[in-house]
């Protein structure tokens, strides 16, 4: 047999044996369930879930007792299904991404073992929207909305076409100029980012609302006026006192 052929056979065998570990994807802060792969027709008597090459236990079932407090980082985050052998890890962190091993024995003294590779990803975060008002004629308003994402996204876009004057999609930010032609009007603008098969949206609701600014303005004038009044009164009183003592 030629050497290349033997090499091919060896590679094929390697591929078949390494295909034993299955992959599971979870998301930060969410739960993931690692399937034990146990035959549902058999009743499990021991279940040992472990990590690392030294097989550090994290969850076990032995003599009808479930023990989940083996390893600090997992305490309070695990649940073990005593019939299926499946392990659920809650509130995932990126440190949980690794290979998990499960060793099973059933009541007929049959053993089986499986390996599961857990991948932990971050869900696509909502894009952020920065708003800035622009000068406009009384009773109307202009807004400049910048939608951006700190993550590498495939696309980022504004939905509502109604008020859009122009958009500048550029990499991970999209700018929209919106015009609202009356103070009663209220409009919602939604921006969506897309990464692979995930999408995330954020929304802002805008209306022409320049009254609060004016009110603040008047409050300031009022306050300055009040101080001035107090000061003048004090001056007058002290002048009056001086003239009576003289
Ligand atoms: C479990 O048992 C049922 C019937 O007893 C059988 O049809 C099924 O194939 C068995 N499942 C496995 C995984 O062996
Ligand atoms: C097993 O390995 C891990 C990481 O390599 C280590 O933190 C742990 O102390 C080891 N446990 C034992 C019992 O040796
Ligand atoms: C599995 O756990 C449930 C309670 O969570 C218990 O009622 C049941 O007896 C257990 N089964 C076995 C086979 O240990
Ligand atoms: C445990 O696993 C069995 C078999 O897969 C399932 O029917 C049962 O609902 C599970 N129990 C829990 C508490 O998830
Ligand atoms: C999830 O884990 C993080 C730290 O990893 C912690 O701050 C948070 O309180 C946990 N949330 C829950 C619901 O346990
Ligand atoms: C699980 O761990 C227990 C305690 O160390 C051990 O007695 C048992 O043989 C282990 N079972 C398997 C299937 O590895
Ligand atoms: C939009 O905001 C992002 C993040 O703050 C910034 O990097 C980008 O330059 C802004 N785009 C425009 C056109 O202002
Ligand atoms: C975002 O994802 C949801 C659910 O996967 C889907 O229904 C919706 O159409 C998607 N939106 C866009 C704009 O791709």
């Amino acid at each position: 047999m030629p050497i290349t052929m033997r090499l091919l056979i060896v590679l094929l065998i390697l591929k078949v044996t390494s295909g034993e570990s299955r992959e599971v994807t979870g998301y930060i802060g969410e739960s993931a369930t690692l399937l034990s792969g146990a035959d549902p027709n058999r009743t499990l008597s021991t279940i040992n879930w472990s990590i690392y090459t030294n097989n550090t236990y994290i969850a076990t079932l032995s003599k009808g007792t479930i023990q989940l407090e083996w390893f600090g980082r997992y305490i309070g985050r695990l649940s073990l299904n005593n019939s299926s052998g499946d392990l659920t890890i809650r509130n995932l962190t990126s440190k949980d991404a690794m290979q998990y091993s499960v060793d099973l024995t059933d009541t007929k003294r049959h053993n089986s073992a499986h390996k599961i590779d857990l991948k932990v990803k971050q869900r696509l975060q909502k894009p952020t929207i920065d708003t800035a008002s622009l000068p406009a004629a009384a009773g109307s308003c202009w807004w400049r909305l910048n939608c951006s994402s700190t993550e590498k996204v495939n696309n980022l876009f504004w939905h509502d076409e109604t008020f859009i004057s122009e958009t500048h999609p550029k990499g991970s930010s999209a700018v929209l100029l919106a015009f609202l032609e009356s103070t009663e009007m209220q409009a919602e603008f939604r921006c969506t980012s897309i990464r692979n098969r995930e999408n995330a949206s954020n929304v802002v609701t805008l209306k022409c609302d320049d009254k609060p600014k004016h009110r603040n303005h008047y409050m300031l004038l009022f306050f300055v006026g009040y101080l001035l009044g107090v000061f003048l009164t004090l001056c007058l009183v002290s002048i009056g006192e001086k003239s009576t003592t003289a």
Side-chain angles (χ1 to χ4, degrees):
M1 191 159 39
I3 287 180
T4 48
M5 196 132 166
R6 254 184 277 173
L7 208 76
L8 200 70
I9 289 171
V10 168
L11 283 179
L12 278 176
I13 290 168
L14 276 181
K15 198 155 191 244
V16 167
T17 49
S18 69
E20 262 181 55
S21 78
R22 269 171 299 145
E23 205 176 287
V24 172
T25 299
Y27 293 91
I28 290 175
E30 298 178 18
S31 298
T33 296
L34 311 182
L35 303 180
S36 75
D39 181 343
N41 288 349
R42 293 171 185 265
T43 306
L44 296 173
S45 53
T46 65
I47 307 169
N48 292 349
W49 280 95
S50 60
I51 52 172
Y52 304 140
T53 47
N54 61 14
N55 284 322
T56 302
Y57 289 143
I58 57 168
T60 58
L61 167 78
S62 174
K63 299 190 182 83
T65 309
I66 289 177
Q67 172 61 266
L68 302 173
E69 309 207 328
W70 289 100
F71 198 65
R73 270 190 333 100
Y74 292 94
I75 291 173
R77 295 197 293 136
L78 300 177
S79 41
L80 181 60
N81 183 323
N82 62 4
S83 74
S84 67
D86 299 344
L87 179 72
T88 299
I89 309 176
R90 291 181 295 274
N91 196 13
L92 289 173
T93 76
S94 51
K95 280 190 192 162
D96 298 336
M98 64 175 99
Q99 190 172 70
Y100 293 78
S101 303
V102 59
D103 290 298
L104 307 161
T105 318
D106 62 39
T107 47
K108 302 240 170 69
R109 299 187 146 266
H110 177 267
N111 290 313
S112 61
H114 299 274
K115 292 191 187 306
I116 291 108
D117 288 310
L118 178 62
K119 300 259 184 290
V120 179
K121 292 184 182 170
Q122 171 88 58
R123 283 238 187 255
L124 180 60
Q125 301 294 293
K126 275 203 256 178
T128 40
I129 300 176
D130 292 321
T131 61
S133 66
L134 302 172
S140 66
C141 55
W142 276 101
W143 293 91
R144 184 179 181 280
L145 309 178
N146 180 3
C147 177
S148 61
S149 174
T150 50
E151 293 166 277
K152 252 198 151 48
V153 293
N154 305 115
N155 196 9
L156 193 76
F157 59 91
W158 289 98
H159 285 250
D160 252 298
E161 300 289 327
T162 330
F163 303 95
I164 297 173
S165 166
E166 50 177 317
T167 59
H168 307 278
K170 188 179 139 269
S172 61
S173 78
V175 171
L176 175 151
L177 293 178
F179 179 69
L180 302 192
E181 56 185 354
S182 96
T183 48
E184 279 93 61
M185 209 166 175
Q186 190 169 308
E188 198 181 270
F189 297 91
R190 176 181 294 269
C191 175
T192 293
S193 61
I194 293 184
R195 186 184 64 190
N196 304 330
R197 278 186 207 141
E198 278 184 281
N199 68 56
S201 294
N202 203 353
V203 175
V204 279
T205 303
L206 295 179
K207 60 190 284 218
C208 299
D209 202 0
D210 50 1
K211 274 176 206 130
K213 270 187 214 139
H214 276 252
R215 199 178 297 132
N216 284 344
H217 202 60
Y218 288 136
M219 281 294 278
L220 190 70
L221 274 182
F222 178 77
F223 189 58
V224 168
Y226 175 77
L227 281 185
L228 215 67
V230 169
F231 180 67
L232 283 178
T233 312
L234 285 178
C235 283
L236 284 175
V237 167
S238 77
I239 287 168
E241 267 172 10
K242 265 188 199 149
S243 58
T244 48
T245 50

